[in-house]
Amino acid sequence: MLGLMQQWPLLCHKILDHAAVQHGHREVVSRSVEGPVVRTTWGEVHLRARRVAQALLRDGIREGDRVGTLAWNTARHVEAWYGIMGMGAVYHTLNPRLFPEQIAWIFNHAGDRLLFVDLTFLPLVEKLAPHLKTLEKVVILTDGAHMPQTGLPGAVAYEEWLAGCDGDFAWVTLDENAAAGMCYTSGTTGDPKGVVYSHRSNVLHAMIACMPDSMGIGSRDVIMPVVPMFHANAWGLAQSTPMIGAKLVMPGGKMDGASIYEMLDTEKVTFTAAVPTIWMMLLQHLEETGKMLPYLKKVVIGGSACPRVIVQKFEEKYGVAVIHAWGMTEMSPLGTLCTMKPECADLPRDELLAVKDKQGFTPFGVEMKVTDDHDRSLPWDGKTFGRLKVRGPAVAASYFGGAGAEQFDAEGWFDTGDVAHIDALGYMQITDRAKDVIKSGGEWISSIEIENIAVGYPGVAEAAVVGVPHPKWDERPLLVIVRRKNAEPAKTDIIDFLRGKIAKWWMPDDIVFVDEIPHTATGKIQKSVLRDRYRDYQLPSS
Amino acid sequence: MLGLMQQWPLLCHKILDHAAVQHGHREVVSRSVEGPVVRTTWGEVHLRARRVAQALLRDGIREGDRVGTLAWNTARHVEAWYGIMGMGAVYHTLNPRLFPEQIAWIFNHAGDRLLFVDLTFLPLVEKLAPHLKTLEKVVILTDGAHMPQTGLPGAVAYEEWLAGCDGDFAWVTLDENAAAGMCYTSGTTGDPKGVVYSHRSNVLHAMIACMPDSMGIGSRDVIMPVVPMFHANAWGLAQSTPMIGAKLVMPGGKMDGASIYEMLDTEKVTFTAAVPTIWMMLLQHLEETGKMLPYLKKVVIGGSACPRVIVQKFEEKYGVAVIHAWGMTEMSPLGTLCTMKPECADLPRDELLAVKDKQGFTPFGVEMKVTDDHDRSLPWDGKTFGRLKVRGPAVAASYFGGAGAEQFDAEGWFDTGDVAHIDALGYMQITDRAKDVIKSGGEWISSIEIENIAVGYPGVAEAAVVGVPHPKWDERPLLVIVRRKNAEPAKTDIIDFLRGKIAKWWMPDDIVFVDEIPHTATGKIQKSVLRDRYRDYQLPSS
């Protein structure tokens, strides 16, 4: 027996319709790539998105075609997304921070036919163009007055490209499982893998994100996604913000402390989100200038573990609540958010901070478990760590083209590649990447936990821990350290510092000092390179 | 091109799974029908719901079968719902406030095979049993110790019925469009009509309800649905509360001011919801006792228009925010909620109260429009009223058995039967029922608006306005009044009172004084009876 309720497919462009109907006059403010701060509204964005859809159709783009974007967070980028989705094509955000050859590889793998690009990235695209095999047309996100000379195929200024389109366009009706967007993950090894979001997954993800125990955002908020749309969909904010009809503030390409502060202050932003690096820069700017944050209420921090000092500064000095969060491109991206359950209400401050160190708990719509190497579920005791696996309507079921199939099991669980523990209250904490964990005598040692403690020693600038083959224990930890300028900590100093802070059998068997630790284009430590380098390292204990 | 996201059907029992996993120790507190306040947890409810599923299966209930409930809001009722849904059957809430013959008609129309019933309603069911054609078994929501003597078919005490079931049961996997629940609407005329909710519609409705601009509820709330589960699903709270893992407080059958106050106070309820009558009783109790509401933060009021005095008392005297809301059984039921958009932030208090008189705006997932008799959309100007039509994933597409097909159009719009206007900010206000609106010279006069003003006159206890045939104007308004005891207002007094408060051409052509106005079982004025009675009334103007 079926229910007798309406077939109302969950389509992304219905979000924008809702924003236009119920919140049409609410502002969308962007720091433009050309320089000035520009203002529009959800009503205008709705109209212009339909003009984008018309222009794409006119140019031969069809349902299911991929359309690339290489752009900062601006209203134009949002219009482009909704225009693409609303005519049935698939937006594909390219991350300009990747190595150029990776960008080209990703572009070709997705088969993008048209590319929206910001002025900033024009030199990059000009360099790459000969390698972009499926590229037919480049739309430069600017107006005629700012249009540069370029030999790119079909290059046209966005405003001129739109000029002939009046917006009298009815969104296409699609299966809610139709593809809406794409984003590639670039791990530390192997080729990037494409995640293909559906309209349904994007809509459900946006709903989950708005819930009071998630981001908790409503129409009275002023929302600034500093996290880029090309970084895991700006954590869904380009969809959640119009869903609730809040004012949207887009920072464009300027993400230094002073520029971010200016937008927060001038536009009276109440809610923002970005990686820890951004907030370190903002907090430094505030300290240098003595400025405060009178409007900001809440900041979501994710992308990498949030240092406690950021939480403390925001909350204790500036009165801004911090929500630590974790997610992945494969999860649209939200997985857990560290908001406070009622059990935390009466915790002393230091215990509360210990909860806030964690990545948080799952909202309805995300299931998680930690398992051992035999896929057995591990207890939620806040210390037993294992592989973190997730399931949900906004979690990937496979990658584009079938790569990485080993990460998905028959029961629908996606292996995140993270190692984590979950406590009795359901709060999850990432302890490592699965491939970086050190297996010593059948037990796991968390490389990240040792690193986090080691960088707390005054003379240490950066630390990495990798497993080195060992005749008796299979692997033992080696601590690799970059010393601070003019600091000369001895091995014994650091070992003494670690003692008592980690289990005895976790103690690194040796320490090496290096000038530099290798990183990926997006700043992650390349542990695979370190493991290769120290594969034959003779530990004193061997 | 399809997205590559997980197939994770939206099933109601996943809500309860989430509550058990992430909020398993959170309390569910009920005032039991037997008397004492009893306490359980979401973890326990989860276990017992699976025991219910096992017991139903053992008794021969199968996927798609309808299972009736005639019960107050208690944990047992919630367990029963989830047990029914989790084994693929369909809960069907029966409203004990209907006339007995209506209840029997509805029971038979739905074809309920098994009935869960509270002790309170046993005499009613015993009287009805001979007429309940499809009834095979009655499970009485009590334990062996409280089990009364009864000759009902297969009668068994709930706790004994569950005794053999251990809860080791895996929910069935269903299409998310499968039926999950049923509820009948009983209009003022015609047979009741059955609405059949799907798992998908219930889950999406619950998500919409939790959003910050809707009910705005999270895990730190303590939620008491005073509105019964048999009244439009307790406005979704039996699903939204476990979705966010909040503590649930169930008032059982005692809904007088003192009993409601006791639960609010003892359990530190932060959020509650019911019809205006309940709140009138509570506010009266508070005034009589001088008690305050230190824990309560928010109250949702719907079911009928909320008098301004309730809003003012709650907000100004007790510091409790009021959310006026509107919905229908056909809408799961939420349609609009009157939370404040940013444009309301700086309104003077009286203008804010005027906004709060309205039923509110639609969240994402509900579309609305007002149309004239030719289905043309009317402007959103806050005064042009027309038929209110809605669309969305939690709005009915048809009634069980195909009744009322004329209320659904080809584009998926459901005609609510209400007449409303919508203002430029998107706030909707109900002005009448379509069949009660008075058509005078081709223009519409709102009967409700005149009634609301008329009851403001000190000597008026109740007022109804109906259209009476008129040779020139087609219809003209007749005001029917019940005077307060010992009050003797004259017609001219009331006409003078109305003058200036309504348009001249809205002024009733005459007033009649009566001892009583006829009502339906659920307390609505039976205007059809009044219209019949005054069909041949000679207006002075005729």
Side-chain angles (χ1 to χ4, degrees), chain B residues 169-183:
Chain B
F169 177 84
W171 303 127
V172 296
T173 299
L174 295 160
D175 182 333
E176 67 182 28
N177 293 303
M182 285 186 86
C183 187

Side-chain angles (χ1 to χ4, degrees), chain A residues 1-12 14-18 21-23 25-26 63-66 90 175-180 182 194-198 200-201 203-204 206-208 210-213 216-220 243-245 329-332 339-343 360-368 380 390-401 408 412-414 422 424-427, chain B residues 1-12 14-18 21-23 25-26 63-66 90 175-180 182 194-198 200-201 203-204 206-208 210-213 216-220 243-245 329-332 339-343 360-368 380 390-401 408 412-414 422 424-427:
Chain A
M1 181 176 172
L2 291 178
L4 297 174
M5 306 306 279
Q6 295 188 7
Q7 293 306 313
W8 194 89
L10 305 176
L11 297 172
C12 293
K14 289 189 179 175
I15 297 175
L16 195 59
D17 287 343
H18 176 73
V21 167
Q22 276 293 354
H23 307 274
H25 296 291
R26 199 95 62 247
E63 267 186 47
D65 283 349
R66 273 76 68 202
V90 182
D175 182 332
E176 68 182 27
N177 293 302
M182 286 185 84
V195 178
V196 187
Y197 307 109
S198 65
R200 172 184 166 101
S201 70
V203 170
L204 290 174
M207 294 177 82
I208 293 168
C210 294
M211 302 275 277
D213 285 315
I217 43 180
S219 68
R220 292 181 299 283
M243 178 174 275
I244 52 172
T329 300
E330 290 88 338
M331 299 180 74
S332 302
T339 51
M340 295 299 102
K341 292 189 180 186
E343 290 85 348
F361 63 97
T362 49
F364 172 78
V366 181
E367 296 178 83
M368 69 175 170
W380 289 25
V390 293
R391 213 157 58 168
V395 178
S398 62
Y399 291 110
F400 191 55
F408 305 91
W413 292 96
F414 166 67
I422 307 173
L425 282 180
Y427 286 86
Chain B
M1 181 179 172
L2 291 179
L4 299 174
M5 307 308 278
Q6 295 188 6
Q7 292 306 315
W8 195 90
L10 304 177
L11 297 172
C12 293
K14 287 189 182 178
I15 296 174
L16 195 59
D17 288 343
H18 176 73
V21 167
Q22 277 292 352
H23 307 275
H25 297 290
R26 198 96 61 245
E63 266 186 47
D65 282 349
R66 272 78 67 202
V90 182
D175 182 333
E176 67 182 28
N177 293 303
M182 285 186 86
V195 178
V196 188
Y197 307 108
S198 66
R200 173 186 166 100
S201 70
V203 171
L204 289 175
M207 293 177 81
I208 292 169
C210 295
M211 302 276 279
D213 285 316
I217 43 179
S219 67
R220 293 182 300 283
M243 178 175 274
I244 53 172
T329 300
E330 290 89 337
M331 299 180 75
S332 301
T339 52
M340 294 299 104
K341 292 189 179 186
E343 290 85 350
F361 62 96
T362 50
F364 172 77
V366 181
E367 296 177 85
M368 69 175 171
W380 289 24
V390 293
R391 214 158 55 169
V395 178
S398 62
Y399 291 109
F400 191 55
F408 305 91
W413 292 96
F414 166 68
I422 307 173
L425 282 180
Y427 286 86

Side-chain angles (χ1 to χ4, degrees), chain B residues 40 129 142 163 203 235 243-244 314 368 381 481 505-506:
Chain B
T40 179
T142 192
V203 171
W235 303 348
M243 178 175 274
I244 53 172
F314 266 124
M368 69 175 171
D381 58 9
I481 280 183
W505 62 278
W506 281 32

Side-chain angles (χ1 to χ4, degrees), chain A residues 251-308:
Chain A
K254 287 201 175 172
M255 285 187 263
D256 58 285
S259 301
I260 291 298
Y261 177 79
E262 189 193 350
M263 293 303 270
L264 290 174
D265 190 60
T266 315
E267 301 302 328
K268 301 187 165 66
V269 170
T270 64
F271 178 95
T272 182
V275 297
T277 320
I278 296 285
W279 304 125
M280 290 302 275
M281 291 194 293
L282 176 72
L283 291 169
Q284 194 179 334
H285 174 76
L286 295 175
E287 282 183 22
E288 285 166 8
T289 57
K291 287 173 175 159
M292 298 301 283
L293 296 167
Y295 308 111
L296 192 63
K297 289 182 195 155
K298 219 186 270 182
V299 55
V300 174
I301 305 183
S304 60
C306 178
R308 189 179 286 195

Side-chain angles (χ1 to χ4, degrees), chain B residues 56-73:
Chain B
L56 289 169
L57 203 61
R58 179 197 61 202
D59 282 4
I61 299 296
R62 294 292 174 263
E63 266 186 47
D65 282 349
R66 272 78 67 202
V67 176
T69 69
L70 198 52
W72 299 113
N73 288 6

